[in-house]
Amino acid sequence: MSSPKIFNGLPHSYFSINSIKFSISTHAVIEDIGDNIYIFVDEAGDMDFSINGSQHYMFNFLIKRRPFSLHEYIASYRYSLLERNLNPLYDRLDIERFHACEDNKYIKAELFNIISTFNANLVKVYSYILDKTKVAPNKRQEKDKFYIDNLSYAIEKLLDELNIDKNFIIITDRLPIEKNKNKQVGALKRGIKEYLSSKGLKLRYDIFHHSSASSANLQIVDYISWAIFRKYEHKDSSYYKKIEKYLMKIDEATKDRTDVYYEK
């Protein structure tokens, strides 16, 4: 596969990353890479259940196995943006991580260009979507419980979709709710343990909550999640079309519910 064309959007003279030569061999045998599944998680929407809040709340999951591809392009693109700051004629960009809600339109375009070049056979996305107006009041009174209950349920649905039969690692961004953090993590791990037991599966798993700056995959799933949210919340499919090929399922969990508890 040829290298993706990098950073062609900014209206100024600027060297491009495709001039950088990488010496990584894609045919190298890496003996210590296991057959484990990695699941990276991002949520989109807010927990404001009123006319002022978002219509939707969703969890989006990126499913991959090592070795992870294209990370060198994403890292090099970020370093090139930092090096751009050495030219005093340009506005300063302090980019620790890529984040779709914060990045400008030129950076967004290039990140989506990179993401769109993944092998669709090796990268899968599962999306679990709630229409918040159809969530019963007793299911959303405590935000930490709403979050962890739906994340646990979405993970179980995903594991069903995958017919999980391999050890797996789940990595989320930092938990969005500080209250009862240990309780949330405990409930999440307990839910997965009970799920595996109910299926008679003797698999090993772990869950980590890392800063998105530590993981290109968390930044990738953030971009994918943003594209899906744009489609459902704002009826804008322009970015969604770039990642649609990776979708294994869009699970609209509240689609068949008829009760609406407040107007948007």
Side-chain angles (χ1 to χ4, degrees):
M1 182 176 66
S2 60
S3 299
K5 189 176 180 182
I6 307 299
F7 199 61
N8 57 8
L10 287 179
H12 53 64
S13 176
Y14 180 61
F15 65 88
S16 61
I17 291 176
N18 59 10
S19 65
I20 298 173
K21 303 297 183 183
F22 295 102
S23 60
I24 297 173
S25 171
T26 58
H27 303 292
V29 177
I30 307 175
E31 295 179 353
D32 61 346
I33 291 183
D35 196 23
N36 304 306
I37 294 175
Y38 279 77
I39 300 170
F40 299 90
V41 189
D42 185 75
E43 78 278 351
D46 57 49
M47 284 181 259
D48 179 353
F49 291 87
S50 75
I51 193 171
N52 298 316
S54 62
Q55 175 93 26
H56 300 91
Y57 193 84
M58 61 181 66
F59 290 101
N60 295 295
F61 301 83
L62 173 66
I63 302 99
K64 301 174 79 176
R65 293 184 182 181
R66 293 175 64 204
F68 301 135
S69 62
L70 296 180
H71 285 205
E72 67 271 22
Y73 289 102
I74 293 172
S76 290
Y77 179 47
R78 186 175 77 85
Y79 290 128
S80 290
L81 290 174
L82 295 179
E83 290 169 13
R84 178 179 178 272
N85 295 317
L86 299 176
N87 188 327
L89 297 178
Y90 298 144
D91 293 334
R92 191 169 186 271
L93 293 172
D94 184 1
I95 298 177
E96 182 181 13
R97 59 170 182 164
F98 292 110
H99 190 48
C101 287
E102 300 171 359
D103 296 339
N104 67 42
K105 63 182 180 180
Y106 306 110
I107 293 174
K108 268 201 280 283
E110 290 307 321
L111 257 292
F112 276 111
N113 283 344
I114 297 172
I115 292 169
S116 68
T117 63
F118 285 124
N119 183 336
N121 294 319
L122 303 178
V123 174
K124 297 298 178 186
V125 173
Y126 170 77
S127 185
Y128 173 86
I129 302 175
L130 296 167
D131 180 337
K132 287 160 48 186
T133 66
K134 296 182 178 182
V135 176
N138 67 319
K139 297 292 186 181
R140 51 179 164 84
Q141 287 177 337
E142 300 176 55
K143 290 183 179 179
D144 57 326
K145 192 171 188 306
F146 165 80
Y147 174 86
I148 215 67
D149 284 353
N150 280 285
L151 177 56
S152 295
Y153 184 67
I155 288 173
E156 291 179 14
K157 297 273 282 182
L158 168 60
L159 296 178
D160 275 342
E161 287 293 324
L162 293 172
N163 291 313
I164 193 72
D165 61 356
K166 304 291 184 186
N167 296 335
F168 58 94
I169 292 174
I170 298 174
I171 303 178
T172 78
D173 201 346
R174 301 293 190 193
L175 292 175
I177 301 174
E178 291 295 326
K179 180 184 175 184
N180 298 324
K181 183 176 290 186
N182 291 337
K183 184 179 177 181
Q184 292 181 63
V185 174
L188 186 58
K189 289 184 175 180
R190 187 166 55 252
I192 295 174
K193 182 178 180 180
E194 291 172 357
Y195 169 86
L196 295 176
S197 178
S198 70
K199 301 289 184 179
L201 296 170
K202 296 182 179 180
L203 302 177
R204 298 184 66 84
Y205 69 94
D206 209 339
I207 305 170
F208 300 94
H209 308 283
H210 291 167
S211 165
S212 64
S214 71
S215 170
N217 281 313
L218 284 176
Q219 295 166 59
I220 292 166
V221 73
D222 168 80
Y223 261 72
I224 291 171
S225 187
W226 183 84
I228 297 171
F229 186 76
R230 290 283 302 177
K231 178 182 187 295
Y232 281 84
E233 189 75 9
H234 303 292
K235 313 302 181 189
D236 174 11
S237 297
S238 56
Y239 292 98
Y240 177 87
K241 291 175 182 177
K242 292 180 176 291
I243 57 90
E244 187 176 13
K245 62 184 176 180
Y246 306 128
L247 287 166
M248 58 186 293
K249 186 174 184 181
I250 294 277
D251 193 348
E252 297 181 61
T254 52
K255 185 176 182 179
D256 296 328
R257 298 182 191 177
T258 56
D259 291 335
V260 176
Y261 297 96
Y262 65 95
E263 296 297 328
K264 262 297 285 176

